[in-house]
Amino acid sequence: AQSVAQPEDQVNVAEGNPLTVKCTYSVSGNPYLFWYVQYPNRGLQFLLKYITGDNLVKGSYGFEAEFNKSQTSFHLKKPSALVSDSALYFCAVREGSNDYKLSFGAGTTVTVRA
Amino acid sequence: EAQVTQNPRYLITVTGKKLTVTCSQNMNHEYMSWYRQDPGLGLRQIYYSMNVEVTDKGDVPEGYKVSRKEKRNFPLILESPSPNQTSLYFCASSLSTTNTEAFFGQGTRLTVV
């Protein structure tokens, strides 16, 4: 069975500081990993994904994530956070190429203070 | 514009009164699914559909039904809603390739009293 853990319920950072949102996963095969963001009263928006290849993937709004197979992690990062990055972030995993099901973490609320 | 449309956005109903939440996508996606979002639990899959007339249970299917008579539509049916089904519901669709991202609707906030 596949699963995702987001160990931090909340992350608070000052505007201009680096932002990191942590994610670890568990799958029996090759992982396909995704990050989504949810703004208040909105649906989930896709940020970026790792399927194969370069371990560092870049996505929307200046976000990037690093896939680490040995640590089974896929942390989301942004070098300089903006107040507008305040939102709820979800990490999700699919198990390889044979399963369409997305398993989500519990979510991390990011607050960027001015 | 490519989108997944859910209706209604907000719904308050009483226990036992049947309701349907509609979901429609305009991207010709084969795969569609329903999730519920509860605080501290993330999103949990209720039902999914691989294509027309092909549906299957997700992680939390009890109390829900779905149908897929047309490729674009995937309604969620609560035949006898109960208060523990009060939640935020999302419909999602994607191509039938596992390396593509899912597109989500705006959500339906359901309250059962």
Side-chain angles (χ1 to χ4, degrees):
Chain A
Q2 60 205 48
S3 65
V4 174
Q6 293 181 241
E8 299 162 316
D9 293 335
Q10 292 196 22
V11 170
N12 298 306
V13 299
E15 188 171 37
N17 282 0
L19 169 63
T20 298
V21 186
K22 296 180 180 177
C23 170
T24 59
Y25 66 89
S26 174
V27 298
S28 58
N30 291 323
Y32 290 177
L33 294 152
F34 303 81
W35 275 102
Y36 287 85
V37 60
Q38 184 181 25
Y39 298 104
N41 299 315
R42 302 290 299 276
L44 277 71
Q45 296 178 31
F46 169 73
L47 277 179
L48 51 78
K49 64 183 177 184
Y50 171 82
I51 304 300
T52 187
D54 194 345
N55 289 343
L56 183 66
V57 294
K58 295 186 183 295
S60 307
Y61 312 121
F63 284 94
E64 59 188 29
E66 185 166 13
F67 171 64
N68 188 316
K69 188 173 184 178
S70 63
Q71 297 185 4
T72 61
S73 67
F74 189 55
H75 301 331
L76 181 70
K77 299 180 181 182
K78 186 170 184 179
S80 179
L82 302 172
V83 172
S84 57
D85 293 328
S86 298
L88 180 58
Y89 291 80
F90 289 101
C91 182
V93 67
R94 274 194 185 121
E95 188 161 347
S97 59
N98 296 320
D99 193 350
Y100 300 99
K101 177 185 174 181
L102 272 173
S103 293
F104 285 84
T108 299
T109 299
V110 170
T111 302
V112 182
R113 60 185 184 277
Chain B
E1 180 187 356
Q3 60 185 3
V4 179
T5 303
Q6 292 178 230
N7 280 296
R9 291 289 310 278
Y10 302 91
L11 179 60
I12 301 174
T13 191
V14 296
T15 299
K17 185 176 181 181
K18 181 179 179 180
L19 66 91
T20 299
V21 183
T22 63
C23 173
S24 180
Q25 51 93 4
N26 62 1
M27 295 167 280
N28 202 36
H29 286 166
E30 295 86 4
Y31 186 79
M32 297 185 74
S33 57
W34 277 101
Y35 295 85
R36 60 178 289 173
Q37 182 183 359
D38 300 291
L41 297 177
L43 278 78
R44 294 177 292 167
Q45 191 181 57
I46 302 170
Y47 267 94
Y48 65 93
S49 169
M50 298 291 291
N51 214 322
V52 176
E53 302 293 358
V54 181
T55 64
D56 207 348
K57 297 177 180 179
D59 296 321
V60 289
E62 294 78 19
Y64 304 94
K65 287 177 59 177
V66 293
S67 69
R68 188 90 182 271
K69 294 183 171 56
E70 307 165 283
K71 197 173 187 179
R72 64 183 292 125
N73 296 324
F74 190 46
L76 179 69
I77 304 156
L78 285 72
E79 298 237 329
S80 183
S82 62
N84 64 11
Q85 293 179 297
T86 293
S87 187
L88 179 58
Y89 292 86
F90 287 102
C91 179
S93 74
S94 64
L95 292 169
S96 59
T97 55
T98 55
N99 61 355
T100 57
E101 62 272 20
F103 291 78
F104 285 80
Q106 296 283 66
T108 295
R109 185 165 293 281
L110 172 66
T111 301
V112 184
V113 298

